[in-house]
Amino acid sequence: MIGRITGTLAAKQPPQVLVDVNGVGYEIDVPMSTFYNLPAIGEKVSLLTHLAIREDAHLLYGFGSEIERAAFRELLKVSGIGAKTALSVLSGLSVNDLSAAIAAQEIGRIVKVPGIGKKTAERLLLELKGKPVFAGAIASPETPGVSDDVRQALLALGYNERETTEAVRQLPPDLPVGEAIRQALRALSKT
């Protein structure tokens, strides 16, 4: 029903944001991966949304990319996974990391997400295996070129998605991969 919201970012209070659209403020829950990529308060923002209508509330969930929204919708189809848990999964793992865990049936990565136990993780891996949204996510990285190589290297070294995204964002463009990784590691060691 509401597929996208575009307006001015009025407030940020993790995991919720307030977007002012011509004088109407929309409260939208977002995964942390989207939250970290939001502009400053007062700037224009556009989020893809998912509207959930319950007996007691109408809730909006926002996403920075179509692949994130599609992953959220697939997670909601898994029995035992509600909207809050789906947001938690997308906050703890990027869509690419989740796709890799599903492809490898790697339960260890899933249980690290707060609110996901072993049985839920097993069900999630079983029910999402073979879903197109997760099969294609690995082949279509969110950040093309050198940035993706740096991102993958930092994730392989054990840095989380938030740290990795912030380090990649601070890199100057057109750096060779090796130098970009060195600069990212230097920036991460200072935090």
Side-chain angles (χ1 to χ4, degrees), residues 3 5 24 28 34 42 51 85 94 112 119 125 142 145 160 164 173:
I5 296 280
V24 178
I28 305 170
T34 295
L51 175 64
T85 305
S94 70
K112 288 181 183 176
K119 288 186 180 198
L125 289 174
E142 297 165 3
N160 67 35
T164 301

Side-chain angles (χ1 to χ4, degrees), residues 15 29-34 36 61-63 68 71-72 75-76 80-95 97-98 109-117 120 124 161:
D29 287 345
V30 297
M32 296 312 288
S33 53
T34 295
Y36 292 128
Y61 299 95
F63 307 93
E68 252 186 346
F72 176 80
L75 284 165
L76 290 179
I81 303 279
K84 294 289 182 194
T85 305
L87 277 184
S88 183
V89 169
L90 292 176
S91 293
L93 295 169
S94 70
V95 176
D97 288 343
L98 181 58
R109 285 171 107 173
I110 308 294
V111 295
K112 288 181 183 176
V113 174
I116 301 286
T120 304
L124 189 146
E161 185 68 27

Side-chain angles (χ1 to χ4, degrees), residues 6 13 39 41 43 45 63 69 74 81 86 91 113-114 123 129 134 153 176 178 182-183 186 191:
T6 300
Q13 189 78 31
I41 291 175
E43 291 187 28
V45 67
F63 307 93
R69 180 171 66 176
E74 286 298 330
I81 303 279
S91 293
V113 174
R123 190 175 331 110
K129 187 173 184 166
F134 297 110
R182 278 190 284 284
Q183 284 190 20
R186 263 187 247 126
T191 58

Side-chain angles (χ1 to χ4, degrees), residues 116-155:
I116 301 286
K118 186 177 179 190
K119 288 186 180 198
T120 304
E122 288 171 346
R123 190 175 331 110
L124 189 146
L125 289 174
L126 179 68
E127 291 187 32
L128 295 180
K129 187 173 184 166
K131 297 288 183 183
V133 67
F134 297 110
I138 296 170
S140 59
E142 297 165 3
T143 313
V146 172
S147 296
D148 188 53
D149 293 339
V150 174
R151 177 185 303 276
Q152 294 304 319
L154 295 175
L155 290 170

Side-chain angles (χ1 to χ4, degrees), residues 59-79:
L59 304 168
L60 270 177
Y61 299 95
F63 307 93
S65 68
E66 181 59 46
I67 191 77
E68 252 186 346
R69 180 171 66 176
F72 176 80
R73 288 175 171 170
E74 286 298 330
L75 284 165
L76 290 179
K77 294 176 185 175
V78 176
S79 61

